[in-house]
Amino acid sequence: MGILRSRKKNNNNNKDPVNHREKYFYSTLKLCRSSLDTQLSNTRVWRFPSIITLCNCKKTSLQKVGLQIWAGSLVMCDLILHKPEIFYGKSVLELGAGTGLVSIVLSAFAKKVYCTDLKVKVLENCLRNIIKNSYWCGYSGLIEAPAVEVRRMDWAEDITDKKFINQMKKSKFSWKREEMANFYQNFDVLVAGDVIYDNELTRHFVKQANNFLEGTEKTLYVSLEKRINFVKETLSVGSPCYDYFFTLLLEFELHFEPINTSSIPQFVQNYERSVYQEVWKITKKLA
């Protein structure tokens, strides 16, 4: 994906909670200063930060892909910086946050950001990145005392089930009981980047998204890559995960419309935006 500046993280520090078997790097993402100043001139009298520094891995197992920086999250950051009014003063839930990049950018505008993922190592790294880039939090000056919370979320679980809540292991990433009250109604906007790559996970994702959108006018923004692969079953090239995602959206009666990515300026400089990078706006069809 082409992160321009990286330096290897010192894994000899015994105080570092990250598993030493992964090779960690600090990558510096650069943001286009002139574009930011023009786009956000009405949000603050001084200039926005021009960098974000992320601890991440270049290669991981499939179970730890959240430790990598994916292009979908970069496109999502561009959307947020292009249309920050969508998130002003809102409670925003990020599904599959990975390195926490999107939540970091959201924290400049949103009243509260819930940054969620599954694996503890991913959550630990996510928290580290949010702390390292905490100067982004509330930087627009529009929100008083904004907050970013890192929480564990398994899309396969019904986290509102009382039995699950009672059995939930307490950790710094556990949902608080007050957060569980009216859980699915607690968020105004949802975002997710590059979470469509496995059919089983995709079904759980869409089911959870439907729970959040059911009976509301909330919006879910999804950035994804239409990955072209050779399909053994048909002996042809195609995008089975991509196609399955939209099949599920229809099954759950979710409305979806594309956002023209060519109209979104590229604020993050560290990647080449592919024609296969897409952003979709998803809502629930109300009766």
Side-chain angles (χ1 to χ4, degrees):
M1 186 181 57
I3 301 301
L4 296 183
R5 291 180 55 198
S6 298
R7 58 184 177 85
K8 192 170 181 180
K9 190 177 189 301
N10 181 8
N11 280 342
N12 294 323
N13 184 352
N14 292 329
K15 296 181 180 180
D16 195 331
V18 176
N19 191 321
H20 293 178
R21 288 178 295 180
E22 281 81 36
K23 293 183 179 179
Y24 286 81
F25 297 82
Y26 278 121
S27 298
T28 301
L29 300 181
K30 295 182 178 180
L31 281 70
C32 180
R33 166 58 61 206
S34 59
S35 297
L36 270 179
D37 287 346
T38 301
Q39 184 71 29
L40 304 173
S41 59
N42 295 326
T43 64
R44 197 165 186 138
V45 294
W46 58 84
R47 302 194 303 176
F48 254 68
S50 59
I51 63 169
I52 298 175
T53 303
L54 296 175
C55 181
N56 67 100
C57 296
K58 303 304 178 186
K59 295 181 180 180
T60 66
S61 64
L62 184 62
Q63 290 73 24
K64 299 177 183 177
V65 292
L67 294 172
Q68 299 183 52
I69 302 173
W70 294 93
S73 62
L74 303 180
V75 177
M76 185 62 72
C77 288
D78 286 337
L79 173 65
I80 296 165
L81 292 168
H82 178 51
K83 293 288 186 181
E85 63 273 12
I86 295 173
F87 309 98
Y88 284 158
K90 302 292 180 62
S91 176
V92 185
L93 173 68
E94 183 182 8
L95 299 166
T99 60
L101 170 61
V102 172
S103 287
I104 290 168
V105 175
L106 280 169
S107 72
F109 309 103
K111 181 178 182 180
K112 194 151 192 173
V113 181
Y114 287 92
C115 179
T116 69
D117 215 301
L118 176 60
K119 300 294 183 181
V120 173
K121 290 184 177 62
V122 174
L123 294 169
E124 290 279 6
N125 188 56
C126 183
L127 180 59
R128 173 185 293 100
N129 286 328
I130 288 171
I131 293 173
K132 189 171 186 64
N133 296 276
S134 59
Y135 54 87
W136 270 83
C137 193
Y139 202 88
S140 67
L142 299 172
I143 306 300
E144 293 183 6
V148 183
E149 304 290 352
V150 180
R151 296 286 183 262
R152 181 186 180 275
M153 180 179 286
D154 186 343
W155 301 335
E157 296 173 341
D158 179 3
I159 56 179
T160 63
D161 182 82
K162 290 184 178 181
K163 182 178 179 181
F164 170 76
I165 295 173
N166 292 332
Q167 294 177 348
M168 186 170 55
K169 294 181 179 179
K170 298 299 180 183
S171 76
K172 59 184 174 183
F173 302 122
S174 297
W175 293 91
K176 298 177 182 178
R177 288 192 175 271
E178 57 268 27
E179 295 170 341
M180 302 301 296
N182 300 315
F183 183 74
Y184 289 118
Q185 287 73 46
N186 285 342
F187 313 102
D188 303 310
V189 186
L190 293 83
V191 298
D194 251 332
V195 297
I196 308 302
Y197 56 88
D198 175 88
N199 283 354
E200 183 179 359
L201 287 176
T202 297
R203 171 165 281 280
H204 292 315
F205 170 74
V206 174
K207 184 177 180 181
Q208 283 287 9
N210 182 67
N211 290 336
F212 285 108
L213 299 175
E214 186 75 50
T216 71
E217 296 183 357
K218 296 177 184 177
T219 302
L220 164 64
Y221 294 91
V222 176
S223 61
L224 54 83
E225 181 179 354
K226 185 178 181 180
R227 294 180 172 89
I228 309 298
N229 302 301
F230 180 76
V231 183
K232 292 181 180 180
E233 291 77 8
T234 61
L235 297 179
S236 62
V237 294
S239 305
C241 291
Y242 177 90
D243 295 338
Y244 184 62
F245 173 57
F246 289 98
T247 298
L248 291 173
L249 293 181
L250 291 172
E251 178 184 326
F252 283 90
E253 298 184 336
L254 293 168
H255 175 73
F256 51 93
E257 58 180 289
I259 294 176
N260 183 7
T261 54
S262 64
S263 68
I264 303 174
Q266 186 169 332
F267 297 100
V268 184
Q269 297 179 316
N270 300 64
Y271 76 110
E272 294 183 9
R273 191 186 294 171
S274 164
V275 294
Y276 297 108
Q277 293 292 334
E278 300 179 356
V279 181
W280 291 83
K281 179 180 178 181
I282 300 171
T283 55
K284 183 69 176 180
K285 296 179 181 178
L286 298 178

